[in-house]
Amino acid sequence: MLIFLYPNVVDWSYISLNRVTSRFIVAQPWCAGRTGMMGISWGGFNCLQVAALRPPSLKAVYSVASTDDRYADDVHYAGGCLLGDNLNWGATMSTFAMRPPDPAVVGERWRAMWRERLENAPNLAALWLRHQRRDGQWTHGSVCEDYDAIEAAVYMVDGWADGYTNAVFRAAAGVRAPFRGLVGPWTHAYPWNARPGPAIDGLADLRRWWDHWLKDIDTGMMEEPRLRCWMQEGVEPRTSYARRPGRWIAEDVWPGSRVEPRVFHLNADGRAAKPKRERVLTHRSETVAGLTHGDWCPYGYDAEMPSDQREEDGRGLAFDTAPLKRRIEVLGQPAVELDIACDEPQALIYVRLCDVAPGGASTRVTYGVLNLTHRDGHAAPEALEPGRRYRVRAPLNDCGHAFAPGHRIRVTVQTACWPLVWPSPRMATVGVTTGSSALTLPVRPRRGRDAALPSLGKPATAPPLPVTMWRPYRRERTMSRDYATGETTVRMVKDRGRYRLETTGTELSGAGVETYTIVDGEPLSARARVDYRVALGRGGDWDTRIDTRFELTATETDFLLTAHAEARDGGVRVWAKSWEDTIPRDGV
């Protein structure tokens, strides 16, 4: 018996390597012939992808903060819109791929190996940007293309604050193999050390999973509900939380008949249970719309979550309910259907669902973005016919939230969301027909059985490795505005700190600075830049550093991507390379 852990990788070939490694492990005398895989983020992707390849020994996987859909729910695109994370994650991973091998592991040949690695350094941001629609680049790694290919048992775990939550709900509905899903209030992390709390004793939960599938020990896990989620209570808006109040709930099947759609019509005077007379409301968002959004994929640090949305609500078409007389609990995917017309062939919509407290504070519950050229799917974008009225459906991210009595439900429609997604080539004005447009919420009634769910315990982990920390992890997000030029700048510092692993003496540091600028009324002024630096060393014997700069701008027809990288050995520059790519815009 073996639990097989797989690290983060960036190349599909590693998945084939994983299959080979699995066969090797099974052939060893110390293996009972059954293997399991676990991983987070890309390691979680691997779990699902390898499961779809059906290695005979693989009996179960534990996939955390991962996706089943590499196009619709990954770091590159959302709703057919280009995410800003495509650049920053491409810059980050390209920089990481340039780091040298450790001479303590490979010996004196490390410099030659490093040189070869540098000469073949990838520009991942450019690779991903060349695939702006749902094509083979994304489908070949998306297990949602054929859930039936998965025969191993699947346990998927994620959090409401993460960027990958939707995958748990899709898999719960689509995977026919034995399945368990768990969604907490967490960011992009394992559930035993995640924020916001409460974290759980995830290792004990995981041990029950492996005991059942790899040791034939009846732990009772597979008799428990298929899907378990943290129903979040309303809170004041903050950019980080130590804990989100709420309670655990569960569904035996998903989707289940207990969750019923409730329609709220978008009327010109707000929302009501019944549609009122149709009226067209026109709207064109400012280029700076979206500044309060926060990160696409928070990790549990400061300044990652959305701030009070009142400022943002004033930048869009906002529709409110009257103060609620009764509590409403929502579980699953809300969606907005709009009768909409546009004066441009390309445009996007950014839809937010907010919980508005009696005092006016607006806390974002969930959101969705949709490139209107992708209104009929992501494989074949089609330009809008200006002035023509379309019926479009904009799904929002899955959520679990309780709206309290006295609070209002607000949905807001905008045509920009900078810097979360890249702006359309031109300022677009949309006309939303009220009365026929509507919000649908998946409303779940409370049930007493939830109180009897077995406890998930308090977090417990092994003692951490000894580390000397010289500079701690740090996150910053600031905004500045030049009122003379109309230019707004968002600056994000993502500092991974500087520290030494005492068991090996390895010294590491890394920090990225993301800078996003845009000028009022000029979407083609949008500019995104990522500066990244990583260093690896050990005392005075091994001292290496990589510095990179990636920058993205656009014309009406093309994306313009430039990059530069330098490597230093002992403070001396030993290698440098620059890239320049012009990539046609494909309906984005």
Side-chain angles (χ1 to χ4, degrees):
M1 183 275 295
L2 176 101
I3 299 176
F4 184 46
L5 297 94
Y6 200 76
N8 290 354
V9 297
V10 295
D11 194 314
W12 176 255
S13 63
Y14 280 92
I15 297 172
S16 297
L17 175 63
N18 209 334
R19 297 179 71 192
V20 173
T21 306
S22 178
R23 289 196 294 268
F24 169 81
I25 290 171
V26 171
Q28 304 311 303
W30 39 261
C31 180
R34 300 180 183 182
T35 59
M37 286 183 64
M38 63 175 287
I40 186 172
S41 197
W42 186 251
F45 296 13
N46 288 175
C47 291
L48 300 176
Q49 293 163 337
V50 173
L53 297 177
R54 300 179 182 176
S57 70
L58 187 64
K59 304 304 178 184
V61 300
Y62 182 78
S63 178
V64 180
S66 67
T67 190
D68 60 337
D69 192 328
R70 292 293 319 286
Y71 182 81
D73 264 311
D74 202 353
V75 73
H76 317 290
Y77 300 92
C81 301
L82 174 65
L83 287 167
D85 284 70
N86 186 78
L87 180 70
N88 80 61
W89 190 240
T92 300
M93 291 307 298
S94 294
T95 306
F96 285 0
M98 298 176 197
R99 292 177 297 186
D102 190 337
V105 176
V106 302
E108 290 300 320
R109 60 195 183 110
W110 75 269
R111 282 192 175 90
M113 295 174 67
W114 190 23
R115 169 66 67 170
E116 181 181 5
R117 184 175 297 179
L118 292 168
E119 293 297 338
N120 292 281
N123 184 345
L124 294 173
L127 167 64
W128 300 330
L129 191 54
R130 292 191 180 96
H131 299 272
Q132 297 166 39
R133 60 177 69 185
R134 188 184 182 89
D135 59 16
Q137 164 72 19
W138 311 114
T139 58
H140 83 291
S142 298
V143 299
C144 64
E145 296 290 310
D146 183 12
Y147 287 121
D148 289 346
I150 297 176
E151 295 178 346
V154 175
Y155 196 164
M156 291 185 70
V157 180
D158 210 342
W160 295 126
D162 187 40
Y164 293 104
T165 316
N166 302 329
V168 178
F169 291 86
R170 281 195 303 267
V175 173
R176 290 204 230 177
F179 181 89
R180 286 295 174 270
L182 178 67
V183 180
W186 312 307
T187 51
H188 196 72
Y190 280 113
W192 48 84
N193 60 7
R195 295 185 68 202
I200 66 169
D201 190 352
L203 296 179
D205 190 49
L206 180 57
R207 183 172 61 249
R208 293 178 66 213
W209 178 253
W210 295 134
D211 282 349
H212 181 95
W213 291 107
L214 301 182
K215 293 184 177 180
D216 283 334
I217 298 174
D218 184 5
T219 63
M221 170 166 276
M222 300 314 294
E223 298 171 8
E224 295 172 7
R226 185 174 181 86
L227 184 64
R228 185 164 175 170
C229 303
W230 184 254
M231 178 60 69
Q232 299 189 131
E233 298 290 334
V235 292
E236 289 291 313
R238 297 178 185 171
T239 57
S240 65
Y241 297 93
R243 182 182 177 89
R244 286 294 302 263
R247 73 186 196 284
W248 288 109
I249 62 171
E251 293 293 327
D252 298 324
V253 296
W254 188 262
S257 59
R258 299 185 67 259
V259 177
E260 296 184 352
R262 185 177 301 182
V263 177
F264 296 84
H265 293 274
L266 307 187
N267 294 311
D269 60 350
R271 290 205 305 271
K274 296 181 180 180
K276 298 182 179 179
R277 180 176 61 88
E278 289 190 1
R279 178 181 168 190
V280 176
L281 299 180
T282 59
H283 174 74
R284 182 174 71 180
S285 292
E286 304 168 86
T287 51
V288 294
L291 289 177
T292 64
H293 181 90
D295 286 8
W296 175 80
C297 184
Y299 283 77
Y301 300 103
D302 294 336
E304 294 179 321
M305 303 288 200
S307 57
D308 194 324
Q309 297 292 285
R310 277 180 283 196
E311 176 185 355
E312 201 62 53
D313 295 344
R315 295 192 177 107
L317 288 179
F319 303 87
D320 287 7
T321 63
L324 299 176
K325 295 181 180 179
R326 297 181 181 84
R327 177 185 179 93
I328 294 178
E329 295 190 358
V330 175
L331 180 67
Q333 185 178 76
V336 170
E337 291 194 47
L338 300 174
D339 278 329
I340 195 169
C342 185
D343 65 347
E344 292 288 343
Q346 287 182 233
L348 64 89
I349 55 172
Y350 169 44
V351 181
R352 289 174 297 112
L353 179 68
C354 294
D355 183 337
V356 182
S362 181
T363 302
R364 198 192 71 209
V365 175
T366 186
Y367 74 96
V369 291
L370 175 64
N371 179 343
L372 291 176
T373 69
H374 288 235
R375 62 194 177 276
D376 295 323
H378 300 306
E382 186 177 351
L384 296 163
E385 180 183 328
R388 178 182 171 184
R389 180 166 154 176
Y390 296 91
R391 182 75 171 179
V392 300
R393 183 178 184 274
L396 280 59
N397 292 324
D398 287 272
C399 62
H401 185 84
F403 293 91
H407 288 225
R408 288 174 288 149
I409 299 173
R410 174 176 294 165
V411 63
T412 308
V413 179
Q414 296 170 256
T415 58
C417 184
W418 175 259
L420 177 74
V421 300
W422 199 265
S424 303
R426 298 182 184 179
M427 299 287 287
T429 300
V430 296
V432 176
T433 301
T434 63
S436 59
S437 298
L439 164 72
T440 301
L441 292 181
V443 175
R444 178 189 187 271
R446 293 176 69 108
R447 70 172 183 176
R449 286 175 53 194
D450 292 334
L453 290 170
S455 172
L456 291 171
K458 296 182 179 181
T461 61
L465 294 174
V467 171
T468 298
M469 181 70 71
W470 294 300
R471 187 178 75 241
Y473 279 40
R474 179 171 60 97
R475 292 291 189 273
E476 292 181 3
R477 185 186 186 100
T478 58
M479 188 271 284
S480 61
R481 180 166 174 77
D482 186 328
Y483 284 92
T485 64
E487 182 177 83
T488 298
T489 300
V490 176
R491 185 174 184 267
M492 306 180 198
V493 176
K494 299 180 179 179
D495 191 340
R496 295 173 179 263
R498 179 170 174 261
Y499 53 95
R500 180 174 60 225
L501 304 177
E502 295 299 345
T503 53
T504 62
T506 308
E507 299 172 6
L508 305 94
S509 67
V513 177
E514 302 170 25
T515 308
Y516 302 92
T517 60
I518 200 163
V519 176
D520 292 349
E522 299 179 18
L524 294 180
S525 69
R527 181 181 299 270
R529 173 171 166 167
V530 180
D531 295 89
Y532 215 96
R533 171 177 291 183
V534 293
L536 279 171
R538 187 176 292 107
D541 300 329
W542 181 44
D543 178 18
T544 67
R545 195 178 86 199
I546 300 289
D547 293 273
T548 62
R549 181 187 68 251
F550 287 74
E551 193 163 10
L552 181 65
T553 59
T555 67
E556 282 201 24
T557 58
D558 298 294
F559 287 108
L560 309 176
L561 178 63
T562 63
H564 180 75
E566 295 183 355
R568 284 176 168 77
D569 181 2
V572 178
R573 191 175 78 168
V574 296
W575 173 86
K577 184 176 182 179
S578 295
W579 295 262
E580 290 189 7
D581 291 278
T582 299
I583 300 170
R585 297 179 75 150
D586 185 11
V588 173

